[in-house]
Amino acid sequence: MAGQQSADFLDNMAIVIDPGSAYTKAGFSGEEHPRTVVRSTAGLPAYTPGESSRLGAFRGNRGPGTTTTTPAPSPAPACDSLLGDWDALESLWGALLQDELGVCPQDHAILVSDCPLAPPVQRARLAELLFEGLGVPALYVSHAPLLSLYSYGLVTGLQVDAGASGTRVCPVYSGYCLPHAARGQPLGGAAFFAYLQQLLEQRGPGGGVSERRATLREAQSHSCYVAQDFERELQTGSEVTEYRLPDGTTVALGNERFRSAELLFCPSLAGEPHPGVHILALSSVRDSAPQWQNQLLAHVALSGGTSLLPGFPERLQLELERLAPRGSRVIVHSAAHRHLAAWVGGAIMASLRSVQPLWVTSADYQEHGPDTVLQHCY
C-alpha cells in the first residue's frame, strides 16, 4: 500500500467490527468504546415479495420491522466463530455501517476480528463480502485472542473467552496465535441460562419460568455467581433470594444462583461430556512449547460477556493454581472492559501507524483475489 493511502486510512479512522455469537460490536479506531453494540441476528420478512407491500426485516436489538399480524421467524445468529449465513451477515453489517454508525462503507477501512479455529475459506469469504458486497477500500482480519490481549497491553498470554455460544481458549506468543493449542467447547452463556431454567423446572409444579424468559434473564444477570468452593456453598448458600423487576414481577432463586454457573467449571453436573474451562485452559498451556508455558500462565486474560459473572475470575485463578505445576505463577487478568476486549484491542491496533502498511486494499483484492487476505492477515 502506498504511504499516502495508509495515512488517509489513519486520518479517516478505520472501523472495527467484532462479530460475537450474541452481540456485534462496532466503532472507530482509536476510541475507547464501541459506538454501537447490536444483537448478532438478522430476521426474514413475514411475507415473500408480492404477497404484501408492507415488508420488513429486523436486525440487531430491534424488533421485527414487519407491521403484519403474521409472526416473523425467530432470529438466527448471523455471527459466530464459524460464520455461516453470509446473506444475513451482509445485510446486518450494511445496516450496521450505514444506519448505526452513519458512515459510507466506501470511505473507511475495516478491521474485523475472527476465530483462530475458523477455516481459511472464511477469511476469503469475508473479503468477498466486504470488497464486493459493501465496497470497502481496505480490510484487515485479525484473530480475536490476539486483539483481546492487546486490550490488556499484552502480546503474550493465554486468552480465555467465555462467550454466549461457548468457551474458547487460545495461547498467544509474541503477537502470534498458536492454533494447534487452541481449545473450545460449546458451553457458554446460552448453556448456562438453559441450565438455570432446567434447575428451576426441577422444583416441580410452579417452578418453571419458561414463559418469563426476559424476567429470568434479568434475574440471572443480577443474582447468579460462581462459587469459590461449590460443595461448601451447597451447605451454606441455599437461602432463597427474591428478585423484583421494576414492573413488580418477581423471580425467586435459591442455590440455583451458583449451581447454574457451576456448569462452566463442572459440565458433568448437567450430563455434559465437556471439560471445565480450567481444564480447557491447562490443556491449551500443556500443548504449547514448554519454554513458553510459565509466561502463558502468568498472563491469563479473560474476555466475553459470560466472564463478567461474579466470582468467575477468582474461581479460575484458584483452579489453575491447584492444577498448574508446582512453583508456577498464575495470574488471571480480568479488566472491566473484558466483554468488549477484542473490539478494544482492534481499536488500538487499527490506530497504530506501524499497522497502516498491512491493510489489504481493494486494488490488492482486484489483482490477487480473495486469497490475498490469507497471505497478508495472520
Side-chain angles (χ1 to χ4, degrees), residues 141-280:
V141 185
S142 185
H143 290 317
L146 175 60
L147 297 179
S148 293
L149 280 186
Y150 282 167
S151 77
Y152 284 91
L154 300 170
V155 293
T156 294
L158 183 69
Q159 200 270 326
V160 177
D161 178 66
S165 65
T167 302
R168 287 169 281 273
V169 179
C170 183
V172 178
Y173 188 79
S174 293
Y176 292 92
C177 288
L178 308 177
H180 73 279
R183 297 288 182 271
Q185 48 102 316
L187 299 179
F192 159 41
F193 179 73
Y195 187 44
L196 174 60
Q197 286 186 297
Q198 178 184 330
L199 292 174
L200 292 175
E201 293 288 348
Q202 290 173 359
R203 287 182 180 176
V209 291
S210 58
E211 72 282 2
R212 293 182 285 149
R213 289 176 61 88
T215 301
L216 183 57
R217 284 194 183 280
E218 187 75 12
Q220 176 198 36
S221 65
H222 286 81
S223 301
C224 292
Y225 63 94
V226 176
Q228 301 308 295
D229 186 326
F230 182 67
E231 295 300 329
R232 178 177 298 178
E233 200 79 4
L234 277 177
Q235 300 173 14
T236 61
S238 298
E239 178 181 344
V240 175
T241 297
E242 191 174 80
Y243 181 78
R244 183 178 297 275
L245 291 175
D247 65 0
T249 305
T250 61
V251 174
L253 296 177
N255 60 18
E256 297 89 359
R257 290 178 297 151
F258 62 87
R259 287 175 61 199
S260 55
E262 190 66 15
L263 173 74
L264 303 172
F265 288 87
C266 188
S268 61
L269 290 175
E272 296 286 350
H274 308 288
V277 59
H278 55 300
I279 303 298
L280 215 61

Side-chain angles (χ1 to χ4, degrees), residues 8-377:
D8 288 346
F9 290 130
L10 186 63
D11 295 340
N12 203 29
M13 291 196 303
I15 291 172
V16 179
I17 300 178
D18 175 34
S21 57
Y23 293 94
T24 293
K25 285 75 72 176
F28 296 97
S29 61
E31 297 191 348
E32 295 183 359
H33 305 285
R35 291 285 184 95
T36 184
V37 179
V38 300
R39 287 196 63 82
S40 299
T41 55
L44 299 174
Y47 296 99
T48 58
E51 288 185 309
S52 172
S53 60
R54 300 162 67 185
L55 293 178
F58 70 94
R59 67 182 188 282
N61 54 2
R62 299 180 180 178
T66 177
T67 57
T68 65
T69 57
T70 301
S74 299
C79 306
D80 202 345
S81 58
L82 301 179
L83 303 177
D85 192 337
W86 293 99
D87 291 336
L89 190 65
E90 182 175 346
S91 174
L92 177 65
W93 285 9
L96 188 68
L97 295 172
Q98 297 177 40
D99 299 340
E100 301 292 338
L101 295 181
V103 301
C104 177
Q106 292 83 6
D107 294 338
H108 295 268
I110 293 185
L111 184 149
V112 181
S113 70
D114 77 346
C115 174
L117 296 178
V121 68
Q122 177 168 291
R123 287 191 165 192
R125 187 66 180 86
L126 271 175
E128 182 181 341
L129 183 155
L130 290 167
F131 283 123
E132 298 185 23
L134 298 178
V136 304
L139 167 68
Y140 194 82
V141 185
S142 185
H143 290 317
L146 175 60
L147 297 179
S148 293
L149 280 186
Y150 282 167
S151 77
Y152 284 91
L154 300 170
V155 293
T156 294
L158 183 69
Q159 200 270 326
V160 177
D161 178 66
S165 65
T167 302
R168 287 169 281 273
V169 179
C170 183
V172 178
Y173 188 79
S174 293
Y176 292 92
C177 288
L178 308 177
H180 73 279
R183 297 288 182 271
Q185 48 102 316
L187 299 179
F192 159 41
F193 179 73
Y195 187 44
L196 174 60
Q197 286 186 297
Q198 178 184 330
L199 292 174
L200 292 175
E201 293 288 348
Q202 290 173 359
R203 287 182 180 176
V209 291
S210 58
E211 72 282 2
R212 293 182 285 149
R213 289 176 61 88
T215 301
L216 183 57
R217 284 194 183 280
E218 187 75 12
Q220 176 198 36
S221 65
H222 286 81
S223 301
C224 292
Y225 63 94
V226 176
Q228 301 308 295
D229 186 326
F230 182 67
E231 295 300 329
R232 178 177 298 178
E233 200 79 4
L234 277 177
Q235 300 173 14
T236 61
S238 298
E239 178 181 344
V240 175
T241 297
E242 191 174 80
Y243 181 78
R244 183 178 297 275
L245 291 175
D247 65 0
T249 305
T250 61
V251 174
L253 296 177
N255 60 18
E256 297 89 359
R257 290 178 297 151
F258 62 87
R259 287 175 61 199
S260 55
E262 190 66 15
L263 173 74
L264 303 172
F265 288 87
C266 188
S268 61
L269 290 175
E272 296 286 350
H274 308 288
V277 59
H278 55 300
I279 303 298
L280 215 61
L282 196 62
S283 173
S284 179
V285 171
R286 286 173 173 166
D287 277 357
S288 303
Q291 65 270 28
W292 300 343
Q293 293 180 9
N294 284 337
Q295 294 182 66
L296 296 176
L297 286 170
H299 299 294
V300 179
L302 297 183
S303 67
T306 304
S307 73
L308 292 173
L309 266 172
F312 184 93
E314 295 82 1
R315 174 68 178 277
L316 183 58
Q317 174 87 31
L318 288 173
E319 296 291 353
L320 288 178
E321 286 178 343
R322 182 174 61 86
L323 296 174
R326 185 182 299 273
S328 297
R329 183 174 180 232
V330 177
I331 299 178
V332 175
H333 301 267
S334 54
H337 70 257
R338 58 187 181 273
H339 58 303
L340 304 172
W343 186 90
V344 172
I348 293 171
M349 180 179 181
S351 67
L352 298 176
R353 188 167 296 277
S354 61
V355 170
Q356 302 313 305
L358 302 181
W359 292 107
V360 177
T361 66
S362 56
D364 295 330
Y365 179 81
Q366 293 298 326
E367 181 177 357
H368 303 290
D371 287 348
T372 188
V373 176
L374 307 181
Q375 300 167 9
H376 291 86
C377 302

